[in-house]
Amino acid sequence: MDSKDKEKENEHTASGRNRDVNDVEEEEEDEEGNKRAVVLGPQVPLKEQLELDKDDESLRRWKEQLLGQVDTEQLGETAEPEVKVMSLTILSPERPDLVLPIPFVADDKGYAFALKDGSTYSFRFNFIVSNNIVSGLKYTNTVWKTGVKVENQKVMLGTFSPQLEPYTYEGEEETTPAGMFARGSYSAKLKFVDDDGKCYLEMSYYFEIRKEWPTIQ
């Protein structure tokens, strides 16, 4: 076999088809810990996937079980999923819920919100998925005080199919640090990404920890 024949052979995947420039690659490790590329095939618009084999009743039921009732008229023609984070709600038994549209709107001091020291609270996100399935959606929230990293939260949200209604995620209850040295200004960065590394939101903001909750306007 000459070099040209070898080159042609290398252009085929294990399934015997020609490899396309749009094929998605992932890495997996073999038993010895060595990484190798695995070609998953090109990403296809979800609308096109749902139309495939639509006359096959068993396959149609399987897709509905996997995806739920997806309105194909609302799906785009692109293969790329889209995630729009709509709002962040701060929940605390000590005060009414505070709903913050995203991106945040800072107050006169530059803060997106304020928390009371030593108080219990949790965050709730609302987000919409469109176009295609988003796999392995997760968020990170990193917090600094006077340039020192004090928190680096990483939360896996999961895999979501597109739908008109927003999804809701509510985090675990936490407690803000207490005391005079805990109060003051904090900077933070919030980021939403998926398994492919696609970033849907990256936002820097400032917040404050105070002795009391701010007055409700």
Side-chain angles (χ1 to χ4, degrees):
M1 181 182 293
D2 59 27
S3 59
K4 289 184 179 180
D5 291 334
K6 288 182 179 178
E7 289 176 2
K8 282 186 177 181
E9 186 180 34
N10 290 334
E11 289 175 356
H12 286 71
T13 66
S15 62
R17 61 176 176 80
N18 286 333
R19 183 170 168 183
D20 190 272
V21 293
N22 295 319
D23 284 352
V24 179
E25 282 194 2
E26 288 190 357
E27 287 188 342
E28 70 174 22
E29 292 187 356
D30 58 23
E31 295 179 354
E32 297 179 356
N34 299 315
K35 289 186 176 181
R36 62 186 183 87
V38 179
V39 181
L40 302 180
Q43 192 170 24
V44 177
L46 183 57
K47 188 172 184 179
E48 182 179 329
Q49 293 182 41
L50 293 174
E51 290 297 321
L52 292 174
D53 302 317
K54 61 182 179 181
D55 295 329
D56 187 323
E57 183 66 20
S58 61
L59 185 57
R60 182 185 64 78
R61 288 199 303 267
W62 177 80
K63 289 178 179 179
E64 287 182 358
Q65 184 179 3
L66 178 66
L67 300 172
Q69 294 291 339
V70 177
D71 185 356
T72 57
E73 298 301 319
Q74 300 295 330
L75 297 177
E77 299 297 334
T78 176
E80 292 292 326
E82 285 298 331
V83 177
K84 182 175 178 57
V85 186
M86 309 293 292
S87 63
L88 165 70
T89 302
I90 299 175
L91 310 168
S92 175
E94 302 176 22
R95 58 158 296 145
D97 297 349
L98 176 61
V99 181
L100 302 170
I102 291 177
F104 294 150
V105 177
D107 62 15
D108 294 340
K109 295 181 179 180
Y111 298 127
F113 55 86
L115 302 172
K116 177 186 174 183
D117 74 335
S119 63
T120 57
Y121 73 98
S122 61
F123 286 149
R124 181 171 66 208
F125 291 104
N126 284 348
F127 59 94
I128 290 178
V129 177
S130 57
N131 290 342
N132 211 331
I133 299 169
V134 60
S135 177
L137 183 66
K138 52 186 169 289
Y139 81 83
T140 61
N141 192 47
T142 308
V143 180
W144 295 266
K145 181 173 173 59
T146 61
V148 178
K149 186 187 295 185
V150 294
E151 183 179 9
N152 188 25
Q153 188 180 41
K154 298 180 180 180
V155 178
M156 172 60 71
L157 301 179
T159 296
F160 302 89
S161 61
Q163 64 178 32
L164 293 178
E165 294 298 317
Y167 289 97
T168 298
Y169 169 80
E170 187 171 324
E172 295 181 359
E173 193 172 77
E174 301 181 52
T175 303
T176 57
M180 181 177 63
F181 295 107
R183 299 175 201 142
S185 176
Y186 292 77
S187 61
K189 178 177 285 188
L190 177 65
K191 192 173 182 180
F192 278 73
V193 297
D194 65 15
D195 271 349
D196 295 326
K198 182 177 180 181
C199 181
Y200 300 99
L201 174 71
E202 185 170 7
M203 181 177 66
S204 297
Y205 62 97
Y206 293 89
F207 69 95
E208 184 182 21
I209 291 182
R210 302 166 52 167
K211 188 174 183 179
E212 299 293 338
W213 288 105
T215 304
I216 299 175
Q217 301 296 326

